[in-house]
Amino acid sequence: MRLTDVQTAILKRVAAEVFGPQARLYLFGSHTDDSLRGGDIDLYVTGLSGTLDELLNAKLHFLVKAKRQLGDRRIDLVFAPAPGQAPLPIQRRAAQTGIPL
């Protein structure tokens, strides 16, 4: 995993502040592979509910807070599908390969 302990702590703290303590944060994508370089920080979030507007506002709030504390890093945030909703391929991949933070 190519996140430092400090970066991991920041992301977990911001997620708890923005999404609440029920949210779970997973790292997936290139940052899970120590042999790779560069790339976005791909995060997958589970345990959320709300309207589309509420989730989009929360996503923006999370990205702003995380970038303020981590610097201008590229961060992609993917939410788990709502109950009863078929997962998108990226959601399926994140659920299968994500590392809990």
Side-chain angles (χ1 to χ4, degrees), residues 60-72:
L60 290 174
H61 193 145
F62 174 87
L63 291 173
V64 168
K65 287 186 92 167
K67 285 178 181 256
R68 281 186 179 154
Q69 296 182 42
L70 293 174
D72 191 20

Side-chain angles (χ1 to χ4, degrees), residues 17-73:
E17 290 170 4
V18 174
F19 303 129
Q22 79 289 351
R24 298 289 174 255
L25 195 61
Y26 298 84
L27 178 70
F28 73 100
S30 64
H31 269 71
T32 61
D33 187 338
D34 292 336
S35 68
L36 297 177
R37 304 181 85 179
D40 301 351
I41 298 173
D42 298 312
L43 300 171
Y44 183 63
V45 184
T46 65
L48 300 180
S49 62
T51 66
L52 180 59
D53 283 347
E54 291 168 339
L55 293 175
L56 289 175
N57 283 333
K59 181 176 185 173
L60 290 174
H61 193 145
F62 174 87
L63 291 173
V64 168
K65 287 186 92 167
K67 285 178 181 256
R68 281 186 179 154
Q69 296 182 42
L70 293 174
D72 191 20
R73 306 286 308 261

